[in-house]
């Protein structure tokens, strides 16, 4: 028996299974006392090791996917957002859209949970073993522009196409330069029908010409991003402002639906490289 246990210890070291090693003595004792069967003992050792590894894998993956702070569907208060169909979101969480390389759009005013839901679906995908990457549109375009300057655009696009789910957050908040729109188009084109995407935006599709500063690129983008697409429109109040509703003017609180384009007033910082968006 001692010899056998030594051999098991040697194998656990060789296989790099420290958690099973820790659990070994206790598990053997339980078996000897007749508390568990041999099969249960094997299960206990392997389950301990597997659970530890999964936790670590998910931890690392959530960090490299840029999905922190973590959001889940369980922590989403659907009663606050009655326009949202809970069943529809639950169906998305089954991740068939990832397997089918489809595009999910979350549209709605600020604070309605678009990023929360996108992140929660990303977290579900990470847990199921998929590679995920999340970035805001501005971050994504900055990274692509930097790669282009360094002559590494193709590598960068390959990096972003490797993820089976790419989440592009915050489309529409900051104006995009024409160069930026072209870079994003190249990425979308590279992923088209190969990998799933989730996009979040506070602007309707009719406004994309304005968002991307170029109606031709916007049309080409939408052509790809609306073919095999699911559009989830959220029409509700901001969760961020829920406890301050009395301080907010009525016209802001009402959260006019997305469809009518807002006056062509630019907010945020001006485009980085010049007048494409004037
Ligand atoms: P959006 O991306 O639409 O602007 P967020 O998803 O970032 O909004 O939501 C803003 C904040 O409010 C986040 O911290 C998010 O977790 C939280 N939040 C939004 N909607 C809900 C909800 N229905 N239930 C719970 N938390 C919510
Ligand atoms: Mg957001």
């Amino acid at each position: 028996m001692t010899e056998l246990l030594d051999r098991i210890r040697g194998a656990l070291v060789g296989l790099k299974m420290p958690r099973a090693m820790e659990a070994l003595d206790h598990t053997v004792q339980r078996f000897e006392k007749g508390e568990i069967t041999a099969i249960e003992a094997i299960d206990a050792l392997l389950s301990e090791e597997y659970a530890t590894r999964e936790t670590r894998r998910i931890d690392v993956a959530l960090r490299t996917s840029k999905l922190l702070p973590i959001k889940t569907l369980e922590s989403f208060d659907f009663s606050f957002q009655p326009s949202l169909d809970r069943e529809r979101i639950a169906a998305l969480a089954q991740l068939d859209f990832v397997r089918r390389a489809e595009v999910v759009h979350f549209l709605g005013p600020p604070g309605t949970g678009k990023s929360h839901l996108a992140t929660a679906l990303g977290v579900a995908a990470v847990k199921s073993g998929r590679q995920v990457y999340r970035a805001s549109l501005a971050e994504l375009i900055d990274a692509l522009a930097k790669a282009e300057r360094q002559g590494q655009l193709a590598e960068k696009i390959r990096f972003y196409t490797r993820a089976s789910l790419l989440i592009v957050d915050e489309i529409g908040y900051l104006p995009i330069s024409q160069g930026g729109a072209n870079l994003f188009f190249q990425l979308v084109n590279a992923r088209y029908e190969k990998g799933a995407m989730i996009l979040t935006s506070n602007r309707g599709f009719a406004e994309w010409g304005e968002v991307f500063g170029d109606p031709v690129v916007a049309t080409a983008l939408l052509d790809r991003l609306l073919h095999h697409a699911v559009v989830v429109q959220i029409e509700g109040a901001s969760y961020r402002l829920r406890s301050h509703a009395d301080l907010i003017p009525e016209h802001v609180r009402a959260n006019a639906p997305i469809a009518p384009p807002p006056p062509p007033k630019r907010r945020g910082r001006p485009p980085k490289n010049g007048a494409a968006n004037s």
Side-chain angles (χ1 to χ4, degrees), residues 111 113-116 169-170 173 200 240:
K114 303 180 297 296
S115 299
H116 185 128
D169 207 1
E170 296 179 3
Y173 284 113
T200 82
R240 291 191 188 99

Side-chain angles (χ1 to χ4, degrees), residues 22-278:
E22 271 172 34
L24 181 63
D25 286 344
H26 179 66
T27 307
V28 170
Q29 279 165 22
R30 293 188 66 202
F31 170 69
E32 283 173 346
K33 284 188 211 153
E35 288 172 12
I36 53 174
T37 65
I39 292 289
E40 283 166 345
I42 295 172
D43 176 54
L45 290 179
L46 294 182
S47 300
E48 284 284 347
E49 184 66 38
Y50 186 60
T52 310
R53 283 195 198 186
E54 270 298 277
T55 309
R56 198 180 320 133
R57 177 188 71 76
I58 290 167
D59 247 36
V60 171
L62 290 177
R63 237 174 299 131
T64 49
S65 307
K66 303 279 196 297
L67 287 168
L68 302 178
I70 196 170
K71 303 280 175 183
T72 61
L73 291 185
E74 290 72 38
S75 68
F76 192 82
D77 179 2
F78 283 89
S79 66
F80 186 81
Q81 220 52 266
S83 74
L84 202 58
D85 181 351
R86 185 186 201 131
E87 295 307 314
R88 203 161 169 226
I89 303 299
L92 287 173
Q94 298 302 306
L95 303 174
D96 287 344
F97 78 96
V98 176
R99 194 173 39 75
R100 291 198 294 253
E102 293 178 349
V103 180
V104 176
H105 296 266
F106 286 112
L107 302 182
T112 48
K114 303 180 297 296
S115 299
H116 185 128
L117 293 169
T119 305
L121 292 177
V123 169
V126 160
K127 287 186 176 163
S128 80
R130 266 96 158 189
Q131 200 177 327
V132 179
Y133 195 83
R134 192 208 73 89
S136 70
L137 178 63
E139 286 165 354
L140 206 62
I141 287 177
D142 275 356
L144 289 170
K146 185 171 169 218
E148 190 180 37
R149 285 194 300 275
Q150 297 170 342
Q152 288 166 351
L153 182 59
E155 283 93 325
K156 199 71 185 173
I157 287 181
R158 227 175 294 129
F159 168 80
Y160 288 128
T161 45
R162 230 177 284 145
S164 45
L165 173 61
L166 179 67
I167 301 174
V168 184
D169 207 1
E170 296 179 3
I171 293 174
Y173 284 113
L174 298 172
I176 304 301
S177 73
Q178 196 163 24
N182 280 321
L183 289 171
F184 183 56
F185 174 75
Q186 289 184 54
L187 172 59
V188 166
N189 210 26
R191 287 189 68 88
Y192 177 61
E193 292 188 332
K194 292 200 197 82
M197 297 177 76
I198 300 178
L199 311 183
T200 82
S201 182
N202 64 327
R203 314 278 292 267
F205 298 126
E207 298 170 64
W208 275 36
E210 196 196 328
V211 168
F212 286 94
D214 180 339
V216 177
V217 178
T219 305
L221 274 171
L222 285 172
D223 185 57
R224 282 145 185 87
L225 292 173
L226 289 177
H227 185 200
H228 320 297
V230 175
V231 179
V232 180
Q233 178 114 29
I234 313 174
E235 278 154 27
S238 170
Y239 192 85
R240 291 191 188 99
L241 303 179
R242 66 197 180 287
S243 50
H244 306 295
D246 50 328
L247 304 177
I248 300 156
E250 182 60 40
H251 69 282
V252 175
R253 208 189 316 164
N255 267 327
I258 275 184
K265 195 178 62 186
R266 291 259 170 230
R267 279 178 298 158
R269 58 185 155 91
K272 263 194 181 157
N273 45 357
N277 262 296
S278 60

